[in-house]
Structures are given as structure tokens and as C-alpha cells.
């Protein structure tokens, strides 16, 4: 079996001259900073000057203790970019038939699985590192003192990045064609979002009409489980609304998120190890 | 010692039986041709022994030791199509191949020289012609100077000069003692290059062995003269003649294997008043033998 160092060296040889990789990486990096800057300046210049701003309190989402959560939440909207890159990189191996050639040339099928899963983890880790740096930057820009309170949201962000990347990787090894795989990924995202909202409405109805509390059912789907852990920092309006909402169980949702991660790891492994290439 | 041993290999694609329990051995130092018409199972067979296709049943091993990734690294393989990253150059692609094979990059220039691609080594793969792509795939198979080469239709897409060059390269590698397993549907390619052959038809081995044993059942000569009828009548009396067949280019005369020499035939005809305008030894038509075996 090849070492991870050797496998990742091979992967780097493919990436370092690949324009699509460079473009998406740059676009993602700029996107993270730009998205958070928009939220930061909207809150500072629009919400801060609104009549009645005092009524909802002096809520500032990029102050330390909130910056980890806000940055993780806002950046979460951009995770389709690394996921799309994962799809392109994996389906390239099928389009160019290079995964097949790597096996012929001396990789085991398990090597092919290991290196792609390593890339999934690295992309999630680098995205998380970018979140940490951005959160620090906007936290200090808000003029507040450093605090690690709320840093658990960065962990939730990592879980979300990992989930998105794994779903992308699974669709890529299953579909094998770039266009179809990207299309299916976005269709799935949209479909899950709709189903999740319908389940949320149903769980609210159960709570209000029958007094049955099954929790926020919409958060139990693959993407929604990791989405559900990342929320925008609570404000008084949301606290008022929560009195009619089903119970939010982060531990249950977290357990679902981890279970889905393990499921997709297993599905990807099984697909590459057993199918003809 | 055999380089490759295949035993009772079966592969089904749903109801389609691509391989029906085939078995053969490839002796070390041979150029072993796997010959068969399109769809006979050649690429499926090579795909299985290279672990990109899963076998339904059966076993195979290289060097009597196994079939793992370590074993495949000792073999240079071109299977079906040249598989490279279109956006990378030849050198960048070969660096990836060298990394997968755990070979050094210092061999890259040598193999590009061997296939006459050195001039275009920094051009993107996407700008290559079909023939150049095929040459690059052969260069990749040669990386690290492996003892065994598996080449699936190696002259695919090459022009006549390119075909001749690759054939010469295969012969040269054979002289260096390498074992070459080569799949082809081109009869003359197998005849010109291979020492051994297995003939495949619809997933079954129809014949396997030394090329001379498989293809040379009779000695044949082709002769011609201004009066073909007289020539045929004279040759009918020649000792050992089994059959005479008239073709457009002349008369083809069949003898028992290993019995014919040209000088006595020439002298015999001259003595009987016929001056030959053509006299040459001809192997039994590979095509006719191939058709005979696969029909």
C-alpha cells in the first residue's frame, strides 16, 4: 500500500497546473471574505442605523464570542464551491480514465479511495482554516477582545464542509460524468432543502396542534443535519419565535450528521472497490 | 518459468458471456499475441489481469507470486486507450505515471526519445494527434524499464511509418529479453512481431502456442509462368505435391511441412521446358488460418 505522502504527491502533480482548481480556489477564498464583509457592513451600516435598533439590543454578529458562529454560518453558504471542485476532480479521473490507469500502473483500488478521501478531508480542513482566519480578522475589526467562546461552531462548520464534500464525492464516483454529477448535486441540494422545510412545517404542526414534539425533523436529512448545527447567532426576534418551535436537539442532529458522514465514507469505498473501472 | 498464468477465467456482463473459462500461460522472454476479432474478449481479459475489471470466476497470477499492486508496478501496460490528463503536457503526465509506479523522473527523457516524442514533450496532451497519444502511452508503459509489457492494440491510430517503428521497438525490446503480451485484431501484426499466440473467439481460446505451430501447417510456394496450364500439369508430377491452387498472382503449390526447397523446383520446371517468371516461398495465409480457427 502506498503512503499518504506518495499518494498526495501524485495528486499535487495533477492540481498544481490545473486552471479550474486555481480559479475555484481563488473564487472561494475571495468569496469567503466578501460574503462575511457584506454581512459585517450590512449589520454595521444598515441594521445599526435602523429605527428601533435599540429595541433588538446592541447585537453585533462579529464581536468576539459571536464571530466564530457568524463566520461559520455565512461561509457555509459557499461550501458548494469546494464540493463542486471535488466533483470535477473525481469525475476527471473517469473522463480521462486515469483512475483506471493508476490501478494498472500500480495503485491498489484502496489507494484510489484513500487519496480521494484524503482530498475531501484536506479541502474541508482548508475551508475551516479559512473560516478561522476570517473570523479572527472580523472579530478584531469589530474592536472586541479575543475569546474562544462559541468556537464549537467552527467544529460544526468542519462537519458541514466534510458532509458536503462527501456527498459530492459519492455522487462523482456514482455518476462519473462531470456535468451530470454537478447537476445532480445541485438538484439534490434544492430537493433536500424543500423536503427539509416541509418536514419542519409538519413538526411545527405536530407541536402546536397535537402537542407532539419529535424535534426539528427537517434537520435529520444528510445535508440538513450538518446545516442544522450551524445557525445565525440568536437575536431577540428568533428567541420569541422559538416558543412555538419543536425542540432543537443539537446532540441528536450532530449524531445524524456523523452517521451520514460514516455512511458516505462507506458508500464511496464500496463503489470504488467493487465496480469495474 | 511462466510470466503469466491464467486459469479458467470467466467474465459475464449480465447475460453477455465475455470470457468462458479461458486458460493459458505466457513463457518468459516471448512476444505473446492475443489475437481475436473485435468483441472476442481481448481487452476484457487484459482488464481483468490488470484489476480494472472484476472477474466472475477464475484465477491468474504474474511471476507465480500474485496479482497485487506491487506486481503491477513491475509491468508496463497500455490498455485500450491512452489515458492522460488533457490539460497537462507529456512530461507532466509522465511525472504522474512515474509517481504512481514509484519510479524516478529521470527516465522520462529516455522513454520520450524511444517513441520520438521528445520534440513535443512540453505540448499539452490535448494538442496531440491520435498517433502521438498512442506513442505517449507506450512511453508511459516503458517508464522504469519493466521486464514485462502488456500492450493492447499498440499500433492503434499510428500511420504506416509509426506502425513500422513500434513494431521495430517491440522486436528490439524482445531481443533485450523482455516479455511482451500484445493484444491485436491485426493478423499481420501478430505474424510479424509475435513468437507465441492465443486465438480468442467469443470468449473462448481456439488455439494457443508457438506462431509457427499455429499458422504453418503446410509449406507453400507461389510460382508462375507464361503458360499456367502447362506449369500446373508439370507440377502435378512433382514429388510431394499435395495440392495446387490457381490464384490471380500465380499458382500456389502445397507441400508437407518442412519438405520444400526452391532450387530443385526451378531445375525441375526448366528441365520440363518451362521457364518460371515467379518462384517464392509462401506461408499459409494467416488470414485463411485465422478464419479457419474462428469459424
Amino acid at each position: 500500500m502506498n503512503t499518504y505522502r506518495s499518494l498526495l504527491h501524485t495528486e499535487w502533480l495533477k492540481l498544481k497546473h490545473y486552471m479550474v482548481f486555481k480559479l475555484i480556489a481563488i473564487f472561494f477564498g475571495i468569496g469567503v471574505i466578501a460574503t462575511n464583509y457584506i454581512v459585517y457592513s450590512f449589520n454595521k451600516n444598515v441594521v445599526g442605523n435602523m429605527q428601533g435598533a435599540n429595541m433588538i439590543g446592541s447585537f453585533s454578529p462579529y464581536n468576539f464570542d459571536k464571530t466564530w458562529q457568524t463566520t461559520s454560518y455565512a461561509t457555509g453558504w459557499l461550501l458548494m464551491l469546494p464540493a463542486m471542485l471535488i466533483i470535477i476532480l473525481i469525475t476527471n479521473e473517469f473522463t480521462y480514465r486515469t483512475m483506471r490507469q493508476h490501478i494498472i500502473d500500480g495503485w491498489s483500488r484502496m489507494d484510489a479511495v484513500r487519496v480521494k478521501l484524503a482530498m475531501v478531508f484536506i479541502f474541508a480542513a482548508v475551508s475551516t482554516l479559512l473560516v478561522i482566519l476570517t473570523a479572527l480578522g472580523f472579530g478584531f475589526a469589530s474592536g472586541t477582545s479575543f475569546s474562544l467562546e462559541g468556537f464549537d461552531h467552527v467544529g460544526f462548520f468542519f462537519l458541514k464542509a466534510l458532509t458536503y464534500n462527501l456527498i459530492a464525492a459519492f455522487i462523482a464516483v456514482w455518476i462519473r460524468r462531470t456535468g451530470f454529477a454537478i447537476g445532480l448535486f445541485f438538484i439534490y441540494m434544492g430537493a433536500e432543502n424543500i423536503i427539509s422545510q416541509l418536514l419542519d412545517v409538519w413538526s411545527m404542526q405536530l407541536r402546536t396542534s397535537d402537542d407532539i414534539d419529535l424535534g426539528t425533523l427537517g434537520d435529520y436529512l444528510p445535508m440538513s443535519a450538518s446545516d442544522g448545527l450551524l445557525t445565525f447567532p440568536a437575536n431577540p426576534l428568533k428567541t420569541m419565535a422559538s416558543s412555538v418551535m419543536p425542540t432543537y436537539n443539537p446532540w441528536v442532529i450532530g449524531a445524524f450528521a456523523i452517521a451520514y458522514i460514516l455512511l458516505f465514507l462507506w458508500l464511496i469505498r464500496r463503489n470504488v472497490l467493487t465496480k469495474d473501472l | 518459468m511462466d510470466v503469466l498464468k491464467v486459469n479458467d477465467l470467466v467474465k459475464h456482463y449480465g447475460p453477455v458471456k465475455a470470457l468462458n473459462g479461458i486458460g493459458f500461460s505466457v513463457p518468459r522472454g516471448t512476444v505473446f499475441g492475443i489475437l481475436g476479432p473485435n468483441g472476442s474478449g481481448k481487452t476484457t481479459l487484459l482488464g481483468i489481469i490488470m484489476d480494472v475489471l472484476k472477474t466472475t470466476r477464475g484465477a491468474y497470477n504474474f511471476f507465480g507470486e500474485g496479482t497485487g499492486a506491487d506486481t503491477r508496478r513491475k509491468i508496463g501496460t497500455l490498455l485500450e486507450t491512452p489515458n492522460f490528463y488533457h490539460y497537462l503536457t507529456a512530461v507532466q503526465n509522465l511525472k504522474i505515471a512515474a509517481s504512481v509506479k514509484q519510479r524516478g523522473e529521470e527516465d522520462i527523457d529516455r522513454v520520450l526519445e524511444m517513441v520520438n516524442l521528445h520534440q513535443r514533450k512540453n505540448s499539452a496532451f490535448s494538442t496531440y494527434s491520435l498517433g502521438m497519444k498512442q506513442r505517449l502511452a507506450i512511453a508511459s508503459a516503458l517508464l522504469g524499464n519493466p521486464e514485462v509489457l502488456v500492450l493492447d492494440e499498440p499500433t492503434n491510430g499510428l500511420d504506416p511509418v509509426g506502425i513500422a517503428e513500434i513494431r521495430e521497438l517491440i522486436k528490439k525490446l524482445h531481443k533485450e529479453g523482455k516479455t511482451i503480451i500484445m493484444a491485436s485484431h491485426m493478423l499481420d501484426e501478430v505474424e510479424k512481431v509475435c513468437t507465441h499466440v492465443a486465438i480468442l473467439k467469443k470468449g473462448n481460446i481456439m488455439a494457443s502456442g508457438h506462431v509457427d505451430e499455429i499458422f504453418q501447417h503446410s509449406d507453400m510456394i507461389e510460382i508462375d509462368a507464361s503458360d499456367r496450364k502447362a506449369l500446373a500439369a508439370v507440377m502435378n508430377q512433382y514429388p510431394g505435391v499435395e495440392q495446387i491452387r490457381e490464384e490471380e498472382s500465380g499458382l500456389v503449390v502445397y507441400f508437407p511441412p518442412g519438405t520444400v526447397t526452391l532450387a530443385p523446383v526451378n531445375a525441375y520446371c526448366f528441365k520440363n521446358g518451362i521457364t518460371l517468371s515467379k518462384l517464392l516461398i509462401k506461408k499459409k495465409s494467416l488470414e485463411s488460418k485465422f478464419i479457419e480457427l474462428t469459424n
Side-chain angles (χ1 to χ4, degrees), chain B residues 6-290:
Chain B
V6 175
N7 190 23
D8 192 25
L9 216 55
V10 175
K11 172 71 176 176
H12 295 168
Y13 293 105
V16 178
K17 292 175 179 172
L19 296 176
N20 291 317
I22 66 168
F24 62 91
S25 299
V26 177
R28 187 179 286 275
T30 57
V31 181
F32 193 96
I34 298 169
L35 178 65
N38 293 331
S40 57
K42 305 184 295 292
T43 301
T44 300
L45 167 64
L46 296 184
I48 288 172
I49 64 174
M50 286 295 136
D51 195 32
V52 290
L53 299 177
K54 291 291 177 186
T55 174
T56 307
R57 196 185 72 216
Y60 57 93
N61 70 66
F62 279 99
F63 315 112
E65 65 181 34
T67 57
D70 292 343
T71 308
R72 289 197 300 280
R73 274 198 286 275
K74 297 179 196 164
I75 302 165
T77 304
L78 155 63
L79 187 56
E80 211 175 359
T81 50
N83 302 324
F84 295 101
Y85 298 91
H86 292 203
Y87 57 89
L88 296 179
T89 66
V91 171
Q92 289 163 350
N93 268 303
L94 290 187
K95 280 182 180 176
I96 293 171
S99 173
V100 172
K101 291 166 188 252
Q102 298 183 3
R103 311 273 188 182
E105 293 177 1
E106 62 281 352
D107 205 24
I108 289 174
D109 279 333
R110 180 187 72 88
V111 296
L112 285 172
E113 290 276 10
M114 283 178 87
V115 298
N116 290 333
L117 264 186
H118 204 258
Q119 298 287 326
R120 293 286 305 274
K121 67 176 187 175
N122 291 318
S123 302
F125 180 74
S126 57
T127 66
Y128 277 16
S129 68
L130 188 58
M132 291 165 81
K133 288 174 180 173
Q134 192 72 359
R135 286 166 189 269
L136 184 60
I138 293 169
S140 180
L142 293 170
L143 270 177
N145 203 17
E147 281 309 302
V148 178
L149 288 157
V150 176
L151 305 173
D152 185 9
E153 310 275 6
T155 56
N156 235 1
L158 298 179
D159 57 27
V161 176
I163 290 173
E165 282 173 4
I166 295 304
R167 282 178 185 165
E168 285 311 308
L169 177 63
I170 292 172
K171 285 178 185 169
K172 182 172 163 252
L173 293 167
H174 176 226
K175 275 184 192 159
E176 288 172 11
K178 299 194 188 310
T179 307
I180 297 149
I181 301 167
M182 187 178 98
S184 179
H185 65 272
M186 292 169 71
L187 306 166
D188 67 323
E189 186 165 275
V190 170
E191 187 188 28
K192 283 175 182 159
V193 172
C194 296
T195 59
H196 291 67
V197 66
I199 297 181
L200 226 63
K201 181 198 170 191
K202 291 183 180 169
N204 295 297
I205 296 258
M206 306 309 292
S208 173
H210 199 279
V211 167
D212 289 342
E213 289 169 18
I214 301 292
F215 292 124
Q216 252 189 309
H217 283 259
S218 302
D219 282 357
M220 290 185 293
I221 59 168
E222 190 172 320
I223 52 176
D224 206 3
S226 52
D227 185 351
R228 273 192 193 171
K229 276 190 182 166
L231 176 62
V234 165
M235 282 307 293
N236 258 326
Q237 306 303 314
Y238 191 82
V241 169
E242 290 180 332
Q243 186 193 349
I244 297 175
R245 192 163 48 83
E246 185 170 357
E247 289 185 354
E248 206 175 318
S249 55
L251 298 179
V252 179
V253 187
Y254 291 71
F255 296 88
T259 59
V260 72
T261 40
L262 295 179
V265 174
N266 195 19
Y268 171 78
C269 290
F270 191 73
K271 196 174 148 191
N272 287 280
I274 293 173
T275 307
L276 293 175
S277 59
K278 180 192 270 186
L279 173 60
L280 51 93
I281 283 197
K282 191 178 177 184
K283 276 186 182 179
K284 182 168 184 179
S285 157
L286 192 58
E287 192 171 329
S288 63
K289 184 65 187 175
F290 180 68

Side-chain angles (χ1 to χ4, degrees), chain A residues 2 9-10 13-14 17-18 93 96-98 100-107 109 273-274 276-277, chain B residues 11 51-54 69 72-73 77 80-81 83-88 92 96 99-102:
Chain A
N2 280 283
H9 171 69
T10 307
L13 291 174
K14 301 173 197 173
H17 299 291
Y18 191 31
E93 305 285 9
Y96 302 143
R97 307 188 90 189
T98 37
R100 177 185 164 97
Q101 190 63 45
H102 291 349
I103 306 292
I104 289 168
D105 286 343
W107 272 8
R109 284 175 178 244
L273 292 189
T274 58
D276 287 345
L277 295 172
Chain B
K11 172 71 176 176
D51 195 32
V52 290
L53 299 177
K54 291 291 177 186
R72 289 197 300 280
R73 274 198 286 275
T77 304
E80 211 175 359
T81 50
N83 302 324
F84 295 101
Y85 298 91
H86 292 203
Y87 57 89
L88 296 179
Q92 289 163 350
I96 293 171
S99 173
V100 172
K101 291 166 188 252
Q102 298 183 3

